[in-house]
């Protein structure tokens, strides 16, 4: 009734957009009925209320919310309710009704127990607190003077009205809102980053960061327990230990828009350089025929039967079929190359260890060109480096790239850049094939300058089930081809005294032509000191 009495005469003239006037002209009943039960989240709340009313519990819930008194968790009703909440399949089914997209639920795939524990805490404790107006409104159907946002309390009304002119509403994407001024001190992104892929996140940051104040900060929250995107990880965020009153989000993060150690760039309109994540590759997409893949599989079988594993001969036999077969076999390389490397910092010197045919270079052709990055390609196989040389010449990067035949463990190899001078060292699906992998990892870390970054993608055993029979089977299968899956690799990376983990991610994918599902990891680490790792 209040809305109907005020809308036409007082509120409608204040709406600046035709689309806004058209919306409220036809949707005024949202206020007339109940705004809390509008939209997908409101629909989910309606369903919950119907279920509670059907079992005769709704009135008890409303009384408990008004009193701030939680029910006894030992009661049968709460036990059954908690049991239902612990079913992850049920959340996947019902989450869209609450406005939670599938991409956000997917962040819980590795940590369902953490999520279930949090949800049970919310429904058994947090939501019953006397000042938790978020859940109170859904249960009771309205806000009351004793339980509502502070800005709606009578004692704060005058302060709210006197400050109303400081609020500017914007209808449109974040990029256009950010361009309205250049001195934002806080950008609250809430959980919108969970809904986006790496490229979309890069687009948002590229548009926002140039308009942040020098001491500006970004805030976001997430369903994931860790930073889910390598682009966000390049902001080097800090975990916020406190939880908000809603409690659904498993982590909250704060990051400086302009870290003090960020390099200066010539373009003052873009101090962050995040637009470089939007550079494009060459578009190269290799593919093999079934006959080509069969030939590679035959070579894999021969290699598996050899008592002495000759890695150089193994790759020499595959030659031109190498890229096509591995396109589906080795996932994660494009994501790491495009979004895990520090392109916003314009890396000047990059060493690619075990580069093979330099396939990774195709993913970041535009990045390397724009940054003017000097690149060293290192591999044991002259045959694969011959293909890499052809690729470098075809891409027009001969003036930026040096190819080296040799072992990463040979730090005296002629042509290698000086120790401690590199901005970036990468290694794609190679560490698991190096017998002396500890020595190799130490050499890679020593090659970096303090402040440089180490980036790896490789096979491993699942961190949450390393001893499961499926992981033992994977270890046996891959070992036949000289690939040794071990949790020691990732443990060494994450515990290395000279490295600080910026981003770590595990995922599974089916191995082509087999029923196996292999686990891969992507790792990005920052060198923070010259401390040597104690392998003892």
């Amino acid at each position: 009734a209040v809305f109907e009495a005020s809308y036409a005469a007082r509120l409608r003239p204040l709406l600046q957009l035709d689309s806004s006037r058209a919306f409220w002209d036809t949707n005024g009943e949202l206020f007339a009925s109940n705004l809390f039960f509008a939209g997908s989240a409101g629909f989910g709340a309606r369903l919950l209320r119907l279920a509670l009313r059907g079992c005769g519990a709704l009135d008890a819930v409303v009384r408990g919310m008004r009193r701030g008194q939680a029910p006894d968790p030992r009661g049968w009703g709460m036990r059954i309710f908690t049991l239902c909440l612990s079913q992850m399949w049920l959340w996947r089914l019902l989450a869209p009704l609450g406005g939670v997209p599938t991409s956000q639920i997917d962040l819980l795939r590795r940590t369902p127990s953490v999520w279930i524990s949090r949800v049970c805490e919310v429904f058994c404790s947090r939501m019953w607190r006397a000042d938790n107006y978020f859940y109170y409104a859904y249960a009771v159907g309205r806000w009351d003077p004793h339980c509502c946002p502070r800005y709606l309390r009578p004692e704060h009304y005058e302060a709210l009205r006197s400050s109303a002119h400081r609020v500017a509403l914007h209808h449109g994407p974040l990029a256009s809102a950010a361009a309205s001024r250049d001195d934002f001190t806080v950008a609250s992104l809430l959980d919108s980053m969970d809904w986006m892929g790496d490229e979309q996140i890069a687009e948002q940051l590229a548009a926002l960061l140039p308009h942040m104040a020098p001491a500006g900060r970004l805030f976001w929250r997430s369903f994931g327990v860790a930073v889910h995107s390598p682009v966000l990880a390049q902001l080097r965020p800090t975990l916020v230990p406190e939880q908000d009153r809603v409690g659904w989000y498993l982590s909250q993060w704060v990051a400086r828009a302009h870290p003090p150690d960020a390099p200066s760039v010539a373009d003052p309109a873009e101090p962050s350089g995040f637009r470089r994540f939007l550079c494009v590759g060459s578009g190269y997409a290799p593919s093999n025929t079934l006959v080509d893949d069969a030939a590679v599989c035959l070579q894999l079988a021969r290699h598996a039967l050899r008592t002495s594993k000759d890695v150089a001969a193994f790759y020499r036999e595959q030659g031109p079929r190498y890229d096509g077969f591995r396109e589906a076999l080795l996932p994660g390389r494009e994501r790491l190359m495009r979004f895990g490397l520090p392109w916003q910092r314009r890396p000047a010197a990059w060493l690619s260890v075990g580069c093979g045919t330099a396939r990774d270079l195709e993913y970041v052709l535009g990045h390397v060109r724009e940054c003017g990055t000097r690149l060293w390609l290192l591999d044991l196989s002259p045959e694969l480096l011959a293909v890499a040389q052809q690729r470098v010449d075809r891409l027009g990067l001969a003036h930026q790239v040096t190819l080296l035949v040799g072992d990463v463990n040979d730090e005296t190899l002629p042509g290698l850049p000086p120790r401690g001078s590199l901005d970036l060292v990468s290694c794609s699906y190679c560490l698991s094939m190096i017998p002396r992998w500890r020595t190799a990892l130490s050499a890679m870390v020593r090659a970096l300058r303090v402040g440089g970054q180490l980036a790896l993608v490789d096979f491993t055993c699942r961190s949450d089930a390393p001893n499961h029979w499926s992981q033992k089977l994977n270890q046996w299968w891959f070992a036949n081809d000289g690939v040794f899956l071990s949790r020691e690799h990732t443990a060494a990376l994450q515990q290395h005294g000279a490295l600080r983990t910026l981003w770590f991610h595990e995922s599974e994918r089916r191995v082509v032509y087999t029923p196996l599902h292999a686990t891969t990891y992507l790792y990005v680490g920052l060198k923070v000191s010259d401390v040597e790792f104690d392998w003892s």
Side-chain angles (χ1 to χ4, degrees), residues 188-305:
S188 179
L189 306 177
L190 298 183
D191 58 327
S192 63
M193 299 291 100
D194 279 2
W195 303 14
M196 303 180 189
D198 296 321
E199 187 165 0
Q200 290 175 300
I201 292 173
E203 290 174 351
Q204 299 297 310
L205 294 181
L208 173 62
L209 292 176
H211 300 282
M212 296 294 294
R217 281 174 166 77
L218 285 74
F219 167 83
W220 70 91
R221 60 193 185 190
S222 174
F223 266 36
V225 297
V227 177
H228 72 284
S229 169
V231 181
L232 288 172
Q234 289 293 345
L235 290 170
R236 305 180 189 178
T238 300
L239 179 67
V240 179
E242 297 84 6
Q243 292 295 323
D244 61 11
R245 70 182 66 247
V246 178
W248 290 80
Y249 303 96
L250 299 186
S251 62
Q252 300 184 107
W253 304 89
V254 172
R256 299 187 65 164
H258 309 301
D261 60 338
S264 59
V265 295
D267 183 4
E270 193 163 65
S272 70
F274 270 73
R275 68 173 178 81
R276 297 193 197 97
F277 286 107
L278 304 176
C279 293
V280 297
S282 67
Y284 171 72
S287 62
N288 279 1
T289 65
L290 187 59
V291 173
D292 289 330
D293 281 351
V296 175
C297 288
L298 179 60
Q299 290 154 2
L300 289 171
R302 287 175 179 171
H303 187 68
L305 295 173

Side-chain angles (χ1 to χ4, degrees), residues 55 57 71-85 124:
C55 63
D72 186 353
R74 297 168 295 180
W76 283 107
M78 285 303 292
R79 287 185 180 184
I80 294 173
F81 189 55
T82 302
L83 179 63
C84 293
L85 293 178
C124 295

